[in-house]
Amino acid sequence: MTADTIADPRSPLAPRRKGINLEKWGWAYMRASGVVLVVLIFGHLFVNLVLGDGVKQIDFAFVVGKYASPFWQWWDGAMLWLALIHGANGMRTIVNDYVTHTTVRRVLIWLIWIVAAFLILLGTLVVTTFDPCLGVTPDSSLWGMCQG
Ligand code: HEM
């Protein structure tokens, strides 16, 4: 088999390194996270865009209301982690498929995971530490609520 030929799917496994087969778990993760993401993403779209006043209801107060509830913090946190890891792992697959230069491929895959980790960190901080009263001054409409 040359480098540009895909192995017959039913051919015996080539001798592999011992230990965890990360490629196999990555494959399983894409399917498992996909199933959970369908529920999380469509639930998110339904609650935000269909229920209540629909898209017109989305403003700062709407976000304040949602993040006052641990339920939505967990929902959005799970969606953030699952989708970013899913998206990054999917991009890794695409890079592995198309980028033939070893160094360029390694650099791109490192970049994908660094960007994903950074976005997960930022998003998790937002979801868990969101405070609508931070920096609120007396001329803000939130002043009354934030005094209580
Ligand atoms: C709605 C829920 C979703 C489901 C059911 C789903 C399902 C899947 C599955 C089963 C794969 C593997 C395909 C394969 O190995 O041939 C995949 C690949 C991928 N997914 Fe998702 N996904 C969802 C949401 C997302 C989201 C939100 C993102 C972006 C953040 C994303 C980005 C990707 C990428 C980049 C790939 C790689 C595509 C490829 O290998 O050609 N997916 N998805």
Side-chain angles (χ1 to χ4, degrees):
M1 189 185 76
T2 57
D4 56 356
T5 315
I6 295 173
D8 177 349
R10 299 203 182 277
S11 59
L13 280 180
R16 276 194 288 105
R17 277 176 294 166
K18 291 203 184 76
I20 323 169
N21 183 350
L22 271 180
E23 207 57 56
K24 178 183 83 174
W25 288 109
W27 185 94
Y29 175 83
M30 293 307 274
R31 272 84 196 150
S33 61
V35 171
V36 183
L37 279 169
V38 169
V39 178
L40 292 177
I41 293 173
F42 286 100
H44 168 83
L45 293 175
F46 185 71
V47 168
N48 288 6
L49 307 179
V50 180
L51 288 187
D53 288 336
V55 67
K56 289 196 285 297
Q57 70 196 331
I58 298 181
D59 55 11
F60 189 72
F62 182 77
V63 180
V64 173
K66 272 190 109 178
Y67 284 160
S69 145
F71 178 84
W72 291 116
Q73 286 181 312
W74 278 99
W75 186 291
D76 284 5
M79 198 161 61
L80 173 85
W81 278 72
L82 288 173
L84 270 165
I85 295 171
H86 178 107
N89 196 42
M91 287 304 296
R92 183 188 66 86
T93 306
I94 294 171
V95 167
N96 275 337
D97 282 349
Y98 288 100
V99 183
T100 48
H101 191 286
T102 312
T103 311
V104 177
R105 193 171 60 238
R106 286 207 183 123
V107 169
L108 286 177
I109 290 176
W110 267 98
L111 277 178
I112 288 168
W113 287 120
I114 289 169
V115 170
F118 181 63
L119 292 176
I120 287 176
L121 177 71
L122 284 187
T124 306
L125 281 173
V126 170
V127 173
T128 54
T129 66
F130 182 72
D131 177 2
C133 294
L134 209 64
V136 162
T137 49
D139 54 338
S140 162
S141 56
L142 292 174
W143 181 253
M145 179 193 91
C146 291
Q147 295 311 300

